[in-house]
Amino acid sequence: MNSNYETNIFPILNLSELHTEYSLFEIIGINKELEEYDSNIQHIIKKLSYTLRHPVTVIKVDEQPHLVIKSDEEVAKKVPTEFGLIRNQVYFKPIGVPIKLNYLDHSSENKEICKRFLGFEIQSALYRDKRIWQPGSGKPYFQYKSKIEDRTALFNGFIVRVVELQDLGYGVTIDTTKKYTSSVPFNPTLSRDDFKRQQIKGKHVIYHHPNGWYEIKIEEISDLNVGNYKYQRNSKLVTLIDDLRSSSFLPHSPELANLPPDASIFFYKDNQGNHKAAPAGLCYVIFDTQNQNVGKLHRKSIMEPYDRRDAILACRNYLQNIKFGDDTLIIGTEPVKCKKTIFLAPDIKFGKDQIVSVRNSENAISIPLEKLGKTRKLCLENREVGFYNQRLFDRQFFILPKSIHESMGLKFLSDLKRTTDTLYPCGGGYDPIIISYEDRERRNYVDVGFEIIKAVTEQKVKASTSYGVVMIPDYHKTIRKHDELSALVVRELLSQDIHVGIIHTSTIEKSYEHFRINGENIYKVKPVMKGKLRGYLNNVAINKILLINNRWPYILATPLNADLIIGIDVKHNTAGYTFIDKYGENIRTEYQLSKQKEKLNKKQVYNFLKRKIAEEAALYNYPIKNIVVHRDGRIFETERSGIFHAIDELKSNMILPSDCEVNLVEIPKNSAIPFRIFDLKKEGNKNIIQNPHVGSYYLINNEEAFLCSTGREFPHLGTANPLYIKYNYGNMEFIKILEDIYFLTILAYSKPDDCSRYPLTIKITDRKLSEVASEYDEEELNQILEEESIERYE
């Protein structure tokens, strides 16, 4: 058995030979107490990097932020003495003489400079490579040649990032990626009416500029065309079409050569905020993977491990002979190997105290890991085992449109009741109070939301906490309107102490057909929809009924290393916090409105956590000595301060023990570092390349690690995508934090027979925020409620 995995990291071999100097500038006047501190720092880095076309970063020297710029006399002259920020004006004061950068020094400040400078030079070299194009700064690189199918173009590309390595200094990760665009451009003479009708404003497109393609966002269409839109170029007034043709070498592409003189123009902004123009006939709209044009092509292009590895090895050719000042960067051709380190899955407990174990624990059903998903599903379906939480249902509501209720709704409810009772026979029978609302001829999502609130208010007797499912119509034009209606309904009903999940009408409408038999209207499941409807009913029963009711299918029988884990996420001015104890027995998610869209200020984090952690401590029968916070994405300085302040006060009030410690971890859904692990096995002269085992992990340095929460024991198409974890702060062993994250991925509640890429802290917070965290027009709703004399519960 091979004891090592192969990674997609290629080491930089000549770090000791690189010669770089950098200059420091003290940033005077920046206010660390402002909510905008983090965003201001990022703004400085981004703005100056673009302006100076030079690597720029910010580090702390004696806790004071300093600007770092690669030494260059001409560049130094261009550094402004003052710089405007949000609610702030700062000054850059040069400090001392240039400092020689040591690429073998891994102190926290020094390594940030090393990664920034290495990354900038590699990205610059790739940007100059005429074989490839880049949509925008920091984005992947793509080959010009595409595969075309059904008017869709698929471009193969790759991502390159610099990473710090535990013992090898620095390396670059290479991973493959894809981009989909239309294979044909917009109509070169597109009219303003067509621009509006096709809803082109705001779309992202690839602009096939003759000197290099890149991505732009369309702001507007011009009343001028390529033949009479003029601007200054080298002190001369030129038209757009003449400038494009004269600035590129012959021969031109067919699309440029045949561009008519009256071709339409789109306006866009470059990365400096300057207004620019692009011919419509050189713009190709970008498709995401959810686009109907892309679906089939995307599925066919999913790469298995052996294909992805071959593609990664081929991409090394773009990283040869990269100039680094007067030096040449030497990047290894052999990828870094890492030892096979694998966490053992925890024991899990179901109803009737039944334990399932891959550890061969006593008094447990012992199974191999590859049978864990199937065994979980069988235990839940077994009436002698079943869900861990076995309690009678609290009061339930099912709220649906009258158009559905008066047609196929009763049949659907009958099928849903049967499915729910099969999954959860201990609930006393799922028999919700049915409430229907008027949905026909409603003008917009606020009108629909009003009808739902009105119907509930008219029928509900105010009492204790209730739970429900709300079915909303699918006739709105955009996903955003669905999100706004979901948020309106969830938040308004939550104010009445009704916790609801949202489902849509589309699957129900597609699944049933109408018959007239013996004078009666009958609805039956369409034969072709039986399998899909069965899966849908199971999904609704688990995710929208049982989990909304806090009926957990199973919990951990092997405890976490931490005593309390808190998941935090922020979306659209709403913060979600999920609290989980050592065994996953006590799980609750709470919401908090925020003034900021994506981050929280110190005061609100402090006030909220001080109160909620005290409530958690009162529930537990053990002292909380280790708290771990999982932040979905980046944790901001204001959030750190709020967390520390709350913990300190709880300790001083003896609610938490004096030796309680807090640890902060960042778990972004999409890592900036593209990382893969391959399991290679030799059979004769042939390499057998597989996905890694579930539970494998790799600490690439003291602060960053990757966890394989998916893998070959749970077969899926494609290559396993390890989860990135960054240790932001704390004293707990990193490996114990990683093990807890893996344990929480085992609590795959939404699909018990499968694996989950994300820990429950991230998964459940994200799922609940997705329904509650969109903005909606509360003022318009209040006005309608007031006009109709509908009283809201406060």
Side-chain angles (χ1 to χ4, degrees):
M1 176 181 172
N2 186 0
S3 60
N4 291 321
Y5 286 133
E6 181 181 283
T7 73
N8 63 335
I9 303 175
F10 298 85
I12 299 173
L13 302 178
N14 63 330
L15 290 167
S16 62
E17 301 170 8
L18 301 180
H19 301 87
T20 311
E21 290 186 337
Y22 66 90
S23 300
L24 277 178
F25 295 78
E26 184 180 358
I27 305 176
I28 300 172
I30 194 162
N31 189 342
K32 290 183 282 187
E33 296 302 315
L34 284 179
E35 294 176 20
E36 297 86 6
Y37 174 77
D38 292 287
S39 54
N40 278 337
I41 292 293
Q42 293 306 310
H43 179 68
I44 290 172
I45 295 171
K46 184 176 180 180
K47 184 74 173 178
L48 287 181
S49 295
Y50 282 139
T51 304
L52 303 176
R53 299 185 181 278
H54 222 60
V56 173
T57 192
V58 172
I59 63 170
K60 286 185 178 179
V61 179
D62 297 327
E63 292 303 309
Q64 176 64 29
H66 282 63
L67 185 67
V68 178
I69 298 178
K70 190 176 178 182
S71 289
D72 183 293
E73 288 186 14
E74 292 304 313
V75 172
K77 294 176 184 177
K78 297 178 184 177
V79 178
T81 55
E82 58 184 80
F83 194 83
L85 296 170
I86 302 170
R87 292 202 294 159
N88 212 350
Q89 182 81 9
V90 298
Y91 299 86
F92 299 136
K93 176 185 175 183
I95 301 293
V97 297
I99 302 167
K100 184 177 180 180
L101 183 59
N102 181 0
Y103 285 93
L104 302 180
D105 175 6
H106 282 247
S107 60
S108 57
E109 292 82 11
N110 195 76
K111 68 185 180 185
E112 288 306 313
I113 304 172
C114 292
K115 285 193 291 185
R116 177 63 176 159
F117 284 11
L118 288 167
F120 188 92
E121 296 298 344
I122 291 171
Q123 298 286 331
S124 297
L126 291 172
Y127 181 77
R128 294 190 296 268
D129 193 323
K130 298 302 182 183
R131 296 172 294 175
I132 50 181
W133 59 276
Q134 186 185 30
S137 177
K139 294 191 176 182
Y141 298 86
F142 296 93
Q143 300 168 1
Y144 280 98
K145 185 179 179 181
S146 65
K147 178 181 178 181
I148 296 175
E149 187 174 307
D150 296 332
R151 295 172 66 86
T152 299
L154 181 158
F155 292 92
N156 288 310
F158 62 96
I159 311 167
V160 176
R161 292 288 185 269
V162 173
V163 292
E164 177 199 2
L165 298 174
Q166 193 83 47
D167 304 312
L168 299 172
Y170 297 93
V172 295
T173 62
I174 306 173
D175 195 17
T176 60
T177 187
K178 301 181 186 301
K179 198 168 196 69
Y180 300 92
T181 74
S182 170
S183 62
V184 293
F186 288 104
N187 179 356
T189 55
L190 186 85
S191 69
R192 181 170 289 277
D193 286 342
D194 285 338
F195 182 85
K196 291 180 179 178
R197 182 176 55 81
Q198 296 176 31
Q199 298 181 325
I200 293 172
K201 184 175 181 177
K203 285 187 182 296
H204 289 258
V205 302
I206 299 300
Y207 176 19
H208 285 202
H209 191 283
N211 293 330
W213 300 357
Y214 51 91
E215 183 176 334
I216 62 173
K217 180 183 176 183
I218 297 172
E219 301 281 338
E220 193 50 81
I221 189 170
S222 174
D223 291 327
L224 300 176
N225 58 50
V226 295
N228 56 28
Y229 179 79
K230 298 180 180 181
Y231 49 87
Q232 291 285 336
R233 173 74 71 189
N234 298 326
S235 302
K236 292 175 62 178
L237 201 62
V238 297
T239 64
L240 177 58
I241 192 167
D242 287 341
D243 188 38
L244 290 174
R245 286 174 175 163
S246 63
S247 64
S248 59
F249 295 108
L250 292 175
H252 293 155
S253 66
E255 57 193 0
L256 178 59
N258 297 320
L259 200 66
D262 61 344
S264 304
I265 290 174
F266 293 144
F267 287 131
Y268 69 96
K269 291 180 183 177
D270 65 12
N271 54 30
Q272 296 289 307
N274 302 313
H275 290 275
K276 295 290 185 75
L282 300 187
C283 293
Y284 294 70
V285 69
I286 296 171
F287 297 141
D288 62 32
T289 54
Q290 304 304 313
N291 187 287
Q292 60 182 3
N293 297 56
V294 170
K296 186 179 178 182
L297 186 58
H298 180 62
R299 285 191 295 273
K300 289 196 296 187
S301 66
I302 292 174
M303 302 179 78
E304 295 300 324
Y306 45 85
D307 291 325
R308 185 176 291 273
R309 178 177 179 267
D310 285 349
I312 288 169
L313 294 176
C315 289
R316 293 175 307 180
N317 297 328
Y318 294 103
L319 294 173
Q320 303 305 310
N321 301 315
I322 289 180
K323 297 299 292 181
F324 194 83
D326 296 329
D327 304 311
T328 298
L329 208 60
I330 301 176
I331 297 174
T333 56
E334 290 296 318
V336 172
K337 304 290 193 301
C338 68
K339 187 178 179 182
K340 283 186 179 177
T341 48
I342 305 171
F343 291 123
L344 202 56
D347 293 347
I348 52 177
K349 184 187 289 188
F350 293 82
K352 314 288 174 55
D353 291 329
Q354 179 63 68
I355 295 175
V356 171
S357 175
V358 301
R359 300 167 170 243
N360 295 318
S361 300
E362 292 185 16
N363 302 316
I365 300 173
S366 292
I367 55 165
L369 181 59
E370 57 266 24
K371 291 190 176 180
L372 179 59
K374 183 178 180 180
T375 303
R376 285 189 302 218
K377 186 171 184 290
L378 290 173
C379 284
L380 295 177
E381 293 172 349
N382 186 344
R383 287 178 174 267
E384 300 303 316
V385 182
F387 273 55
Y388 174 77
N389 291 116
Q390 298 197 356
R391 307 190 307 272
L392 295 177
F393 279 118
D394 298 304
R395 187 167 59 161
Q396 306 291 313
F397 291 97
F398 198 97
I399 304 160
L400 75 169
K402 281 189 176 179
S403 61
I404 299 292
H405 185 223
E406 294 172 0
S407 56
M408 61 197 70
L410 294 178
K411 170 60 176 166
F412 171 73
L413 282 166
S414 174
D415 292 341
L416 181 59
K417 288 177 183 180
R418 184 172 60 254
T419 301
T420 305
D421 289 340
T422 299
L423 282 170
Y424 196 73
C426 52
Y430 177 64
D431 188 21
I433 299 167
I434 308 300
I435 299 177
S436 64
Y437 63 89
E438 187 57 69
D439 63 308
R440 292 163 288 212
E441 298 182 8
R442 290 300 169 262
R443 294 172 302 167
N444 54 43
Y445 79 91
V446 177
D447 281 349
V448 176
F450 158 72
E451 291 293 343
I452 293 171
I453 305 305
K454 175 184 175 183
V456 172
T457 305
E458 287 176 349
Q459 296 194 36
K460 177 177 181 284
V461 177
K462 192 174 182 182
S464 58
T465 302
S466 305
Y467 300 87
V469 178
V470 180
M471 184 190 298
I472 63 175
D474 252 337
Y475 55 75
H476 297 293
K477 291 182 179 179
T478 65
I479 292 174
R480 177 170 174 77
K481 296 305 178 188
H482 286 151
D483 293 343
E484 289 171 349
L485 179 55
S486 295
L488 185 157
V489 170
V490 172
R491 294 207 322 234
E492 292 296 324
L493 292 182
L494 196 58
S495 71
Q496 300 188 36
D497 209 11
I498 305 177
H499 302 253
V500 299
I502 301 294
I503 64 174
H504 299 85
T505 56
S506 55
T507 300
I508 292 95
E509 290 172 324
K510 293 174 185 175
S511 298
Y512 295 93
E513 56 185 339
H514 168 256
F515 296 91
R516 182 80 174 170
I517 301 174
N518 296 328
E520 292 187 25
N521 293 310
I522 305 294
Y523 286 87
K524 293 184 179 181
V525 180
K526 296 176 183 177
V528 295
M529 292 294 293
K530 282 186 177 179
K532 184 172 183 178
L533 181 64
R534 189 183 307 116
Y536 179 75
L537 289 166
N538 269 282
N539 179 59
V540 172
I542 291 175
N543 292 293
K544 305 300 181 178
I545 298 174
L546 296 171
L547 294 185
I548 291 289
N549 278 264
N550 299 325
R551 301 306 197 260
W552 314 121
Y554 38 86
I555 66 168
L556 295 169
T558 307
L560 298 169
N561 297 296
D563 300 312
L564 169 63
I565 297 189
I566 306 170
I568 301 179
D569 192 9
V570 187
K571 287 182 182 177
H572 304 302
N573 300 94
T574 306
Y577 301 79
T578 295
F579 302 84
I580 302 180
D581 70 356
K582 284 185 79 71
Y583 292 91
E585 187 171 11
N586 294 294
I587 305 171
R588 64 172 176 147
T589 301
E590 301 278 351
Y591 307 109
Q592 180 190 38
L593 294 180
S594 169
K595 292 180 180 179
Q596 300 285 339
K597 281 194 172 183
E598 301 295 339
K599 66 178 179 179
L600 305 169
N601 65 44
K602 176 180 177 179
K603 185 177 180 181
Q604 68 184 123
V605 172
Y606 158 71
N607 286 329
F608 191 84
L609 286 184
K610 182 181 70 170
R611 180 162 46 91
K612 295 301 178 181
I613 292 175
E615 292 173 6
E616 293 295 309
L619 291 174
Y620 300 173
N621 58 6
Y622 56 83
I624 298 176
K625 292 191 174 184
N626 255 314
I627 297 174
V628 178
V629 176
H630 292 173
R631 179 59 160 97
D632 187 336
R634 182 182 172 200
I635 190 162
F636 294 92
E637 191 65 38
T638 52
E639 296 169 353
R640 281 169 50 108
S641 298
I643 293 167
F644 296 153
H645 190 187
I647 300 301
D648 287 344
E649 183 153 330
L650 289 167
K651 286 161 70 171
S652 67
N653 293 335
M654 294 187 291
I655 294 171
L656 292 176
S658 59
D659 57 349
C660 176
E661 293 188 340
V662 64
N663 307 270
L664 309 179
V665 181
E666 297 174 352
I667 310 177
K669 293 190 185 70
N670 299 301
S671 166
I673 302 174
F675 181 75
R676 303 284 179 171
I677 295 178
F678 303 101
D679 194 359
L680 274 64
K681 184 173 68 171
K682 283 276 188 182
E683 287 190 1
N685 294 325
K686 187 177 180 182
N687 276 331
I688 305 298
I689 302 162
Q690 297 176 285
N691 276 319
H693 295 283
V694 172
S696 301
Y697 63 95
Y698 177 41
L699 282 75
I700 61 172
N701 54 58
N702 293 329
E703 298 173 354
E704 297 172 298
F706 287 90
L707 170 68
C708 296
S709 47
T710 62
R712 69 173 181 260
E713 286 80 6
F714 293 86
H716 285 267
L717 290 175
T719 312
N721 186 11
L723 188 66
Y724 172 72
I725 297 109
K726 183 174 182 180
Y727 197 176
N728 183 284
Y729 173 87
N731 293 314
M732 193 172 175
E733 287 183 55
F734 197 3
I735 196 167
K736 289 185 176 180
I737 286 177
L738 290 176
E739 185 177 44
D740 282 356
I741 292 171
Y742 174 57
F743 279 20
L744 290 173
T745 69
I746 294 296
L747 300 180
Y749 289 161
S750 58
K751 199 172 182 186
D753 59 339
D754 204 352
C755 55
S756 172
R757 183 165 185 261
Y758 305 108
L760 192 61
T761 41
I762 301 299
K763 183 86 172 179
I764 204 166
T765 312
D766 179 72
R767 181 178 287 270
K768 293 199 173 188
L769 275 181
S770 67
E771 291 186 346
V772 76
S774 287
E775 298 172 347
Y776 64 92
D777 197 332
E778 190 170 1
E779 186 176 325
E780 184 178 348
L781 177 64
N782 287 339
Q783 184 177 343
I784 297 173
L785 291 170
E786 188 175 329
E787 289 172 356
E788 297 290 332
S789 299
I790 303 297
E791 182 182 353
R792 298 167 75 187
Y793 291 96
E794 298 296 339

